[in-house]
Amino acid sequence: MQQFSEEQLHHQFEKLTDFVENGAVCLHWVGPDGTILWANKSELESLGYAPEEYVGQHIAKFHADQNTINDILRRLIANEILHNYEAKMVCKDGSTKYVLIDSSVYRDENGQFIHTRCFTRDNTARKLAEEALQQKTQQLEQTLQVLQQIQSQLEQTNKDLEYRVEERTAELQQAKEVADSANKAKSEFLANMSHELRTPLNGILGYAQILLRDRTAHPKQKDGIGIIHQCGSHLLTLINDILDLSKIEARKLEFSCKSFHLASFLNGIVEMCRIKAEQKEICFTYETLNHLPTAVCADEKRLRQVLINLLGNAIKFTDRGSVTFKVGIMAESPAIDAQQSDQSSSATAQSALQNPQAKIQKIRFQIEDTGVGMTPEQVQNIFIPFEQVGDKERMAEGTGLGLAISLQIVQMMGSEINVESCPSQGSKFWFDVELIESDEWVEPDVGKSANHIVGYEGEKQKVLIVDDRWENRSVIVNLLEPLGFELLEAVNGQEGYDKAIEWQPELIITDLVMPVMAGLEMTQQLRSLPEFQNTAIIASSASVFNFDRQQSQQAGCNDFLPKPVQSDELMEQLRQHLNLSWIYETDNAPAKLSANAEASFSSGIISPPLEELEALYAAARIGDIDSTEQEANRLMQLNDRYRLFAQQLLQFVQVMDDEAIFKFVKQHVEQSV
């Protein structure tokens, strides 16, 4: 057995003492009477106390809740081991900090209580995020209540108008003006509320997407981030549903017909719904009844919205058995002539006018399930806005807007949603729509999502971000910076104009409404300059009405990016307007960074000194992944300057690439010699 000299033992003792005092974990000991016997430096610094202000005091003095500390001491005296116990501690400046406590009791050989050993971890960020999400949820519930009240008031106003029209025409006109004013106020309210809710959601969903791309995050962290993203997305869906209902009522719902690959469109919906069905352990079947057109011209977004709603309801109300999705051509419709088009308001008829020789197919979409089914009375109510039928537990999963919106969309497409249902046996929903066959369609993108992009090929691209809200700029910066883009920010249109002239970016992303100078005015001024005739400019706004899109296009913008920003949509617009070829990470190997991203990343790496790399180098040589991970985490805590070095190392650890680990460590060891 190897013998250590007194000097070596003393050196090891000093290193251990330094690790305990200054490590990432906060430690303290508490005596049987609740007196703090000892605390490490990390604990004192996290709460802001000097040793004499903390050690020797009763632990209850530093806990925000007396009942909490009493419960902790009671459990520990009963020999219970605490793990992830939530508590609030009081800092010296009077603020409170959420912590997670791991603690156990140290007893002597006779079983006497000597002291506790407590490990605390800061949990403030997660608790604040939970409170923020809860607050946003409450705001949405209040908004829905207000909308229901407005809807009720409008219905009552319309009844009064119908009653009075027979008696006094003049009063009817006056009351109609009042109702129109109320509708206008409602539309303005919904537009403003949508903008106000989308703005914070841009930060929530944006950073959730950023954090989900972090390859160093632990699975538990990614699960939590995924929950935040899922809840934020659900909130965004509710906002969109309310806006759609308002547009339908005001007859302002826009249809945007374009050609798309039908099979890829349907497969995308099927795969999404199959996952939901598998989670409920029910069978999901997709059948094509005959040969479908290769591509069709229709509003892809609205058709997807209807199908996902109908399929989602079928899965939600089916606990056992199956859900079947059938698609097939019912009949080939003759081309619509001008006279027929004048009598039809469907989107298909209007599109057919632009191409009189177009071949139109009547396609049936049918969803069958073996779920709970409905009574005839319930079937009559399912298309009423905010109306939900069935179990109260299932009602909590939606708002009652989905079917109402779907019916209106299908009716605007010139069809109806038909229903057959039997209690305890299941339901069948179907609708037939006439779709125009198309020969002009874009090859479906079967590439990977933006979460897998690690860089791009070619020269470094300069992107200017113009937005008066720092959180909006921060989302785009953190999405693009790791990919190797050179970024510059501006807080208003005037500053954006000046920086664009000075910096000459390849692409500009601009908000619409800003102080000093608006985004559209900046765009118009830039377009008046010869050097910006071909520069790509993307308008980005939390206002998602077609009017804003049209205004941005008229001002000279190449595209429109709605907020909250979706990373996939942002990357697709960058690819299209900058003609980029993305570099993706592989599934079984660390990602190969582009030259731009690698240069941007490597230039910031600071290597630890040689003595700090010795243990890491030894672990890398023998392929000890666990020790490598421990050393990487140690270096990250040792000095913040080594964070990029440790993060790169942890990326290799995550995919178990021992060869890349050794090569990386060896390179930095040689640089340190």
Side-chain angles (χ1 to χ4, degrees):
M1 180 176 180
Q2 183 180 3
Q3 298 296 323
F4 294 92
S5 66
E6 184 175 352
E7 181 180 354
Q8 289 176 318
L9 291 174
H10 179 71
H11 178 65
Q12 292 295 330
F13 177 78
E14 287 181 343
K15 290 178 65 177
L16 179 60
T17 301
D18 180 72
F19 175 78
V20 172
E21 284 289 338
N22 301 298
V25 179
C26 300
L27 309 172
H28 65 267
W29 294 352
V30 179
D33 60 347
T35 301
I36 301 174
L37 303 178
W38 170 84
N40 71 346
K41 188 176 179 181
S42 297
E43 173 98 352
L44 296 171
E45 290 179 351
S46 70
L47 298 176
Y49 295 103
E52 61 271 17
E53 296 173 329
Y54 194 74
V55 178
Q57 302 293 326
H58 196 278
I59 187 65
K61 180 180 178 180
F62 306 98
H63 274 265
D65 188 354
Q66 182 66 40
N67 293 331
T68 299
I69 191 59
N70 291 340
D71 182 61
I72 292 175
L73 293 174
R74 178 185 61 78
R75 289 171 177 249
L76 292 174
I77 292 172
N79 227 22
E80 185 176 342
I81 297 176
L82 302 182
H83 178 63
N84 285 343
Y85 189 101
E86 294 190 356
K88 287 198 297 185
M89 299 192 73
V90 181
C91 300
K92 184 177 179 179
D93 60 3
S95 63
T96 58
K97 177 178 290 189
Y98 293 92
V99 296
L100 295 175
I101 299 176
D102 294 338
S103 184
S104 61
V105 174
Y106 178 75
R107 301 179 183 272
D108 62 15
E109 58 187 8
N110 297 321
Q112 293 298 317
F113 188 120
I114 303 300
H115 61 76
T116 67
R117 293 170 292 194
C118 298
F119 302 77
T120 62
R121 286 167 287 130
D122 192 350
N123 192 39
T124 305
R126 184 177 69 85
K127 293 294 290 185
L128 292 178
E130 290 176 352
E131 292 174 0
L133 185 60
Q134 183 179 8
Q135 182 181 6
K136 292 300 179 185
T137 303
Q138 291 174 351
Q139 291 177 355
L140 179 62
E141 292 174 350
Q142 294 173 358
T143 301
L144 290 176
Q145 292 176 359
V146 171
L147 290 174
Q148 288 176 330
Q149 293 174 1
I150 294 175
Q151 181 70 24
S152 177
Q153 293 172 359
L154 289 174
E155 291 176 355
Q156 186 60 45
T157 301
N158 288 333
K159 290 180 180 179
D160 292 340
L161 290 174
E162 291 174 357
Y163 174 77
R164 295 176 60 185
V165 69
E166 298 177 357
E167 299 179 353
R168 292 170 291 188
T169 305
E171 290 185 6
L172 172 64
Q173 182 62 33
Q174 183 180 2
K176 182 176 181 300
E177 293 175 359
V178 172
D180 290 341
S181 176
N183 276 326
K184 181 180 179 181
K186 175 187 173 184
S187 299
E188 292 176 353
F189 166 78
L190 287 173
N192 293 333
M193 184 59 63
S194 169
H195 188 278
E196 292 303 314
L197 290 174
R198 283 173 179 272
T199 299
L201 269 179
N202 188 47
I204 295 172
L205 290 176
Y207 268 95
Q209 293 174 93
I210 292 166
L211 293 173
L212 283 172
R213 298 172 65 187
D214 184 3
R215 290 175 290 172
T216 64
H218 297 296
K220 186 176 181 180
Q221 293 173 323
K222 286 200 171 184
D223 289 342
I225 296 166
I227 291 172
I228 294 174
H229 187 267
Q230 182 180 8
C231 294
S233 299
H234 180 61
L235 181 59
L236 179 61
T237 300
L238 296 180
I239 296 171
N240 290 336
D241 282 349
I242 295 171
L243 279 177
D244 281 346
L245 184 63
S246 174
K247 290 178 183 178
I248 290 171
E249 290 176 344
R251 297 183 179 180
K252 293 182 179 179
L253 186 68
E254 304 95 351
F255 271 74
S256 177
C257 293
K258 65 177 183 179
S259 299
F260 59 90
H261 191 267
L262 183 59
S264 298
F265 166 80
L266 294 173
N267 287 334
I269 295 173
V270 167
E271 289 307 313
M272 184 189 308
C273 296
R274 180 172 283 121
I275 293 173
K276 294 181 180 179
E278 289 174 352
Q279 291 173 347
K280 293 192 66 175
E281 298 182 350
I282 60 176
C283 179
F284 184 86
T285 304
Y286 168 52
E287 299 179 13
T288 53
L289 303 179
N290 43 40
H291 181 69
L292 298 176
T294 303
V296 295
C297 181
D299 191 319
E300 182 181 5
K301 173 186 172 183
R302 297 302 179 186
L303 183 58
R304 180 185 290 107
Q305 182 178 353
V306 173
L307 292 176
I308 288 179
N309 182 266
L310 294 178
L311 288 165
N313 283 343
I315 295 171
K316 180 170 73 172
F317 289 97
T318 302
D319 296 324
R320 62 179 62 88
S322 64
V323 173
T324 303
F325 179 34
K326 299 179 179 179
V327 183
I329 296 177
M330 297 300 296
E332 181 177 324
S333 302
I336 298 178
D337 58 28
Q339 182 178 359
Q340 290 173 315
S341 298
D342 291 339
Q343 300 172 356
S344 174
S345 62
S346 74
T348 302
Q350 300 301 323
S351 299
L353 276 175
Q354 302 174 5
N355 186 6
Q357 303 302 320
K359 185 177 181 181
I360 300 175
Q361 300 281 12
K362 179 177 286 187
I363 300 179
R364 171 166 294 185
F365 299 91
Q366 181 169 302
I367 296 94
E368 304 174 9
D369 66 68
T370 59
V372 296
M374 295 175 288
T375 64
E377 293 77 14
Q378 290 175 326
V379 171
Q380 293 178 359
N381 296 328
I382 59 175
F383 294 109
I384 301 175
F386 301 106
E387 184 74 23
Q388 292 178 297
V389 300
D391 299 338
K392 293 187 179 296
E393 294 180 359
R394 301 181 196 268
M395 292 182 188
E397 299 179 18
T399 60
L401 292 175
L403 283 175
I405 294 172
S406 296
L407 176 61
Q408 295 287 345
I409 291 174
V410 171
Q411 288 177 342
M412 293 178 70
M413 297 172 71
S415 183
E416 292 285 342
I417 297 180
N418 303 283
V419 187
E420 290 181 359
S421 187
C422 183
S424 302
Q425 294 185 21
S427 303
K428 180 171 70 173
F429 287 75
W430 76 94
F431 63 94
D432 304 332
V433 290
E434 294 181 335
L435 301 179
I436 302 173
E437 282 197 52
S438 176
D439 297 327
E440 300 177 358
W441 53 279
V442 179
E443 185 72 26
D445 183 11
V446 295
K448 302 180 181 179
S449 74
N451 286 347
H452 299 281
I453 296 174
V454 296
Y456 57 89
E457 298 177 356
E459 298 180 355
K460 199 178 195 69
Q461 301 289 318
K462 295 186 292 186
V463 178
L464 173 62
I465 303 161
V466 187
D467 199 307
D468 60 321
R469 301 290 292 265
W470 71 266
E471 59 268 33
N472 292 339
R473 301 194 306 272
S474 179
V475 167
I476 298 178
V477 166
N478 283 278
L479 283 170
L480 300 185
E481 194 169 47
L483 306 183
F485 287 94
E486 187 176 351
L487 304 169
L488 190 66
E489 301 178 46
V491 299
N492 57 61
Q494 183 61 56
E495 184 180 352
Y497 177 82
D498 296 337
K499 289 186 176 181
I501 293 176
E502 176 186 357
W503 203 47
Q504 295 292 311
E506 280 77 28
L507 183 138
I508 300 172
I509 301 175
T510 179
D511 189 22
L512 298 183
V513 182
M514 293 179 289
V516 184
M517 181 187 290
L520 296 184
E521 183 181 352
M522 179 201 71
T523 301
Q524 290 172 336
Q525 292 192 15
L526 288 175
R527 289 300 190 207
S528 66
L529 303 176
E531 60 267 34
F532 288 96
Q533 293 301 309
N534 297 321
T535 302
I537 302 179
I538 298 175
S540 182
S541 175
S543 179
V544 292
F545 291 95
N546 262 17
F547 175 73
D548 299 293
R549 295 175 183 263
Q550 293 169 359
Q551 273 198 325
S552 62
Q553 186 177 9
Q554 292 170 359
C557 294
N558 300 88
D559 218 324
F560 188 89
L561 183 66
K563 298 174 185 173
V565 173
Q566 301 297 321
S567 58
D568 286 335
E569 189 171 2
L570 171 62
M571 298 307 169
E572 174 57 26
Q573 291 191 14
L574 291 176
R575 183 199 65 78
Q576 178 181 349
H577 297 297
L578 294 177
N579 196 26
L580 298 177
S581 295
W582 295 122
I583 298 175
Y584 297 93
E585 68 177 345
T586 59
D587 295 330
N588 300 315
K592 177 183 177 182
L593 298 179
S594 70
N596 297 314
E598 185 174 10
S600 176
F601 186 76
S602 299
S603 62
I605 291 181
I606 299 177
S607 300
L610 184 60
E611 56 269 20
E612 296 294 347
L613 293 175
E614 290 178 353
L616 177 62
Y617 185 61
R621 287 184 62 184
I622 62 175
D624 188 345
I625 298 293
D626 292 336
S627 297
T628 301
E629 183 176 13
Q630 293 174 6
E631 281 297 304
N633 289 322
R634 181 185 71 82
L635 291 172
M636 189 179 298
Q637 299 299 327
L638 180 63
N639 194 317
D640 195 60
R641 295 191 307 162
Y642 309 147
R643 178 173 295 275
L644 289 179
F645 175 88
Q647 286 177 344
Q648 177 62 61
L649 196 59
L650 288 171
Q651 290 179 9
F652 294 133
V653 168
Q654 189 177 12
V655 294
M656 309 289 284
D657 193 336
D658 52 357
E659 182 179 347
I661 292 171
F662 178 69
K663 182 178 178 181
F664 178 75
V665 175
K666 182 180 178 182
Q667 174 187 352
H668 287 274
V669 168
E670 291 173 349
Q671 291 176 359
S672 301
V673 175

